């Protein structure tokens, strides 16, 4: 009886009109949410585009850290503003006609189908051979701390990598960091920041390195961004195989003066 009533209801003109109106509401709601997201991406790109004369590549690298979004996404927003400059007029009104696919468009389609894709980063080439001691100082995706020695420099001097990119890094020949380990015995030192300490531990594990301890560089200066003074930097020590230490009883902390950005102290290499 219920099925028969439902079938008959579907034949009523008023019910068919109701369904069509509800569908239109859903389509319009989905479109509105999509177009607002697209509008936000364009506005972000427009703000970045206004600073293009200040070196857009380095700017996108730095601002992606502070905004906590990917560098690729910043680049897409910038290119969206550049390619579709008439999407918003001076009054902030949307011109949907300039976008492909009309109301079926989405940010995902724009970013992956209608924008030029960024060039792949030029990869470095890792050294040949197998090593019994390896020091890895990754370009963690973090902010640069300005110091008096270089007060006018606001960008990093190199491209930054996420924890996943560091873990899975391969050079242009396809060689990975673990390919450098001497499997008969290798000591691995992995530099990290306090923020990325959990990531560094996971990376060692993924590389097949058995973590043993943390060495601490005690600096002559520090910074206080929130509460504690960050006056130390960390380097994880781990082993592949059973290679013994040449010297035993060395302290896990060492003092060294801060010099150029990212330069590690000579005292570390004397351990």
């Amino acid at each position: 009886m219920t099925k028969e009533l439902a079938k008959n209801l579907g034949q009523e003109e008023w019910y068919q009109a109701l369904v069509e109106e509800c569908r239109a509401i859903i389509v319009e709601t989905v479109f509105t949410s999509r177009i607002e997201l697209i509008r936000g991406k364009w506005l972000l790109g427009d703000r970045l585009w206004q600073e293009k004369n200040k070196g857009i590549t380095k700017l996108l690298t730095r601002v992606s850290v502070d905004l906590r979004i990917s560098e690729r996404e910043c680049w897409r927003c910038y290119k969206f503003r550049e390619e579709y400059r008439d999407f918003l007029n001076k009054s902030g009104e949307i011109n949907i006609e300039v976008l492909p696919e009309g109301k079926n468009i989405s940010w995902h389609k724009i970013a992956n189908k209608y924008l030029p894709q960024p060039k792949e980063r030029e990869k470095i080439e890792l050294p040949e051979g197998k090593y019994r001691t390896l020091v890895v100082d990754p370009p963690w995706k973090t902010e640069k701390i300005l110091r008096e020695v270089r007060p006018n420099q606001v960008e990093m001097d190199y491209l930054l990598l996420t924890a996943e990119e560091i873990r899975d890094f391969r050079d242009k020949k396809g060689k990975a960091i673990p390919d450098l380990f001497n499997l008969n015995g290798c000591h691995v030192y992995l530099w990290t920041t306090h923020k990325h300490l959990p990531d560094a531990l996971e990376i060692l594990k993924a590389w097949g390195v058995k973590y043993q301890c943390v060495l601490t560089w005690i600096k002559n200066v520090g910074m206080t961004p929130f509460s504690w003074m960050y006056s130390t930097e960390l380097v994880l020590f781990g082993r592949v195989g059973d290679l013994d230490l040449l010297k035993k009883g060395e302290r896990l902390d060492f003092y060294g003066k801060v010099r150029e950005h990212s330069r590690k102290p000579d005292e570390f290499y004397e351990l």
Side-chain angles (χ1 to χ4, degrees):
M1 185 66 177
T2 303
K3 291 183 179 180
E4 187 66 25
L5 287 174
K7 182 178 180 181
N8 293 335
L9 186 63
Q11 297 174 352
E12 298 285 342
E13 290 186 7
W14 69 267
Y15 179 78
Q16 294 175 4
L18 171 66
V19 171
E20 289 302 316
E21 289 180 19
C22 289
R23 284 175 177 167
I25 291 172
I26 293 172
V27 169
E28 188 64 26
T29 301
V30 171
F31 168 72
T32 300
S33 62
R34 285 178 177 175
I35 205 66
E36 280 304 306
L37 174 62
I38 294 170
R39 180 176 181 273
K41 299 292 186 180
W42 192 94
L43 289 172
L44 176 57
D46 182 59
R47 186 64 188 90
L48 295 171
W49 187 83
Q50 293 173 29
E51 309 295 340
K52 63 180 181 178
N53 293 330
K54 296 179 180 177
I56 193 62
T57 300
K58 290 184 178 180
L59 175 64
L60 294 182
T61 298
R62 172 60 187 266
V63 79
S64 67
V65 175
D66 293 330
L67 296 180
R68 297 185 178 181
I69 60 178
S70 71
E71 186 177 338
R72 178 181 289 266
E73 188 68 5
C74 285
W75 185 89
R76 285 169 168 168
C77 293
Y78 172 80
K79 294 302 291 184
F80 179 45
R81 161 59 180 84
E82 189 174 62
E83 297 288 327
Y84 295 90
R85 63 184 65 187
D86 297 326
F87 173 66
L88 283 186
N89 61 27
K90 293 182 179 180
S91 300
E93 297 173 337
I94 294 173
N95 181 11
I96 191 65
E97 300 299 326
V98 303
L99 296 180
E101 300 192 33
K103 288 191 175 183
N104 292 322
I105 196 62
S106 66
W107 174 245
H108 182 268
K109 287 182 179 179
I110 292 173
N112 294 281
K113 187 176 180 180
Y114 296 107
L115 292 179
Q117 298 303 307
K119 295 180 180 179
E120 293 292 327
R121 291 173 174 171
E122 183 178 353
K123 292 184 177 180
I124 65 171
E125 186 173 345
L126 294 175
E128 298 293 333
K130 303 287 185 178
Y131 296 86
R132 294 173 71 82
T133 299
L134 199 67
V135 177
V136 184
D137 186 11
W140 295 104
K141 194 158 192 176
T142 187
E143 296 181 29
K144 183 171 185 174
I145 306 303
L146 302 181
R147 303 195 183 282
E148 293 181 358
V149 292
R150 304 173 93 177
N152 298 319
Q153 187 170 13
V154 295
E155 304 96 353
M156 288 292 189
D157 306 311
Y158 44 79
L159 292 174
L160 306 174
L161 300 178
T162 65
E164 292 75 18
E165 289 172 328
I166 294 169
R167 180 195 64 201
D168 301 331
F169 177 81
R170 289 185 177 274
D171 69 4
K172 56 187 179 181
K173 292 184 177 180
K175 187 186 304 179
I177 297 294
D179 294 331
L180 303 178
F181 301 158
N182 187 322
L183 298 183
N184 293 323
C186 180
H187 292 169
V188 180
Y189 297 85
L190 176 60
W191 281 95
T192 185
T193 63
H194 288 273
K195 177 181 178 180
H196 290 290
L197 177 57
D199 296 322
L201 289 166
E202 289 298 319
I203 287 172
L204 279 187
K205 184 177 179 180
W207 286 350
V209 179
K210 185 178 180 181
Y211 163 76
Q212 181 170 334
C213 60
V214 177
L215 283 71
T216 303
W217 170 20
I218 302 175
K219 304 178 180 181
N220 60 311
V221 295
M223 64 166 183
T224 310
F226 305 109
S227 55
W228 299 94
M229 175 181 283
Y230 283 66
S231 57
T232 61
E233 195 167 337
L234 311 174
V235 55
L236 306 188
F237 172 71
R239 301 173 188 260
V240 176
D242 298 319
L243 183 63
D244 205 0
L245 293 170
L246 291 178
K247 294 188 293 183
K248 296 184 179 180
E250 292 288 323
R251 294 177 60 93
L252 289 175
D253 59 327
F254 55 94
Y255 293 82
K257 184 178 180 180
V258 173
R259 290 173 289 183
E260 298 92 335
H261 170 72
S262 193
R263 178 176 173 179
K264 300 304 182 280
D266 295 338
E267 289 81 359
F268 165 70
Y269 298 101
E270 295 171 359
L271 293 175

